Amino acid sequence: SQQGEEDPQALSIQEGENATMNCSYKTSINNLQWYRQNSGRGLVHLILIRSNEREKHSGRLRVTLDTSKKSSSLLITASRAADTASYFCAPFAGGTSYGKLTFGQGTILTVHP
Amino acid sequence: EPEVTQTPSHQVTQMGQEVILRCVPISNHLYFYWYRQILGQKVEFLVSFYNNEISEKSEIFDDQFSVERPDGSNFTLKIRSTKLEDSAMYFCASKGRAEAFFGQGTRLTVV
């Protein structure tokens, strides 16, 4: 298993603006997942993108994956104060289905009302 | 929607005491995990469990820690003799095919 590196470390925006977070990883993957963590709470799965996909949408979320650059981005459109949280990417190499997910420091997103 | 549930939500214990953290994973999942998060730090992997045995563990998961799935539904983490540095949020997770689902955590405070 490998850890993704999220960038930026912190992002502060106004409600209604878009938020873009980036993730880089080092080795080949089977899929990449994005999670959200509200302060002091458990991680919530947001979206999974497989290695053969380039873009995926879910509501106000848009994820892209560039396997040649070993990078992914998460775009949250029309952000809301409730989107304030830490966001983590988790690249998954596959191989064994019980493989753990490993998390980096994340991007702390603050959306001001 | 199915969810992972953890009990208790908060546990305060004296240093040196044993604690058991409990988790009920999603019923048709086969892969189970414990993670911990020390205040202000990242979420760290402790152990994964599959087919009634540990499949992988981190350096953090030393002899003081053990996991068990005693009755086919509960999944427990035991810390035999707690230390001050064990104070953290402990998260249980379960996985079906790809996505992992996390519980809300147990905040363990060792005094």
Side-chain angles (χ1 to χ4, degrees):
Chain A
S1 172
Q2 62 174 307
Q3 177 179 303
E5 298 291 336
E6 295 89 356
D7 175 69
Q9 289 186 338
L11 182 60
S12 182
I13 59 175
Q14 294 297 124
E15 209 164 31
E17 294 180 340
N18 295 342
T20 300
M21 288 157 267
N22 302 297
C23 168
S24 60
Y25 57 92
K26 290 190 167 56
T27 63
S28 297
I29 60 170
N30 177 280
N31 65 66
L32 186 141
Q33 303 177 39
W34 284 90
Y35 288 80
R36 182 188 76 224
Q37 183 183 33
N38 291 87
S39 181
R41 311 281 285 175
L43 283 82
V44 175
H45 181 265
L46 295 176
I47 195 165
L48 178 152
I49 187 166
R50 301 190 190 283
S51 60
N52 61 353
E53 297 175 308
R54 290 297 165 257
E55 188 171 311
K56 200 161 180 181
H57 296 252
S58 176
R60 293 184 296 112
L61 305 180
R62 176 180 159 242
V63 168
T64 62
L65 179 65
D66 186 335
T67 52
S68 66
K69 294 181 180 176
K70 293 185 171 58
S71 67
S72 173
S73 68
L74 171 68
L75 169 68
I76 304 174
T77 59
S79 62
R80 304 166 182 168
D83 295 327
T84 294
S86 294
Y87 292 81
F88 301 90
C89 67
F92 183 64
T96 51
S97 293
Y98 53 72
K100 65 183 187 285
L101 296 174
T102 309
F103 301 95
Q105 296 289 349
T107 292
I108 301 171
L109 173 66
T110 305
V111 182
H112 300 281
Chain B
E1 186 174 299
E3 59 180 14
V4 176
T5 56
Q6 289 186 242
T7 55
S9 56
H10 193 178
Q11 171 104 39
V12 180
T13 188
Q14 297 267 349
M15 192 168 55
Q17 295 295 303
E18 174 184 286
V19 294
I20 297 176
L21 310 183
R22 302 181 193 279
C23 169
V24 180
I26 294 171
S27 62
N28 60 348
H29 284 183
L30 299 176
Y31 311 99
F32 313 109
Y33 309 86
W34 283 101
Y35 290 79
R36 81 170 185 192
Q37 186 176 34
I38 295 170
L39 187 64
Q41 298 186 22
K42 65 182 184 181
V43 176
E44 301 174 289
F45 168 77
L46 291 178
V47 65
S48 59
F49 192 85
Y50 169 70
N51 202 23
N52 282 323
E53 59 182 25
I54 291 173
S55 47
E56 189 174 356
K57 57 184 180 179
S58 72
E59 291 176 356
I60 304 167
F61 195 88
D62 62 22
D63 292 344
Q64 293 297 315
F65 292 88
S66 62
V67 289
E68 203 174 43
R69 193 148 188 256
D71 57 11
S73 61
N74 290 288
F75 179 49
T76 62
L77 173 70
K78 183 194 291 187
I79 309 174
R80 262 180 271 284
S81 178
T82 49
K83 303 188 274 274
L84 293 176
E85 53 265 39
D86 293 328
S87 294
M89 283 288 286
Y90 287 81
F91 296 107
C92 170
S94 70
K95 187 163 74 156
R97 301 181 82 179
E99 300 94 334
F101 292 84
F102 285 75
Q104 289 303 316
T106 293
R107 179 173 299 283
L108 176 65
T109 304
V110 183
V111 297

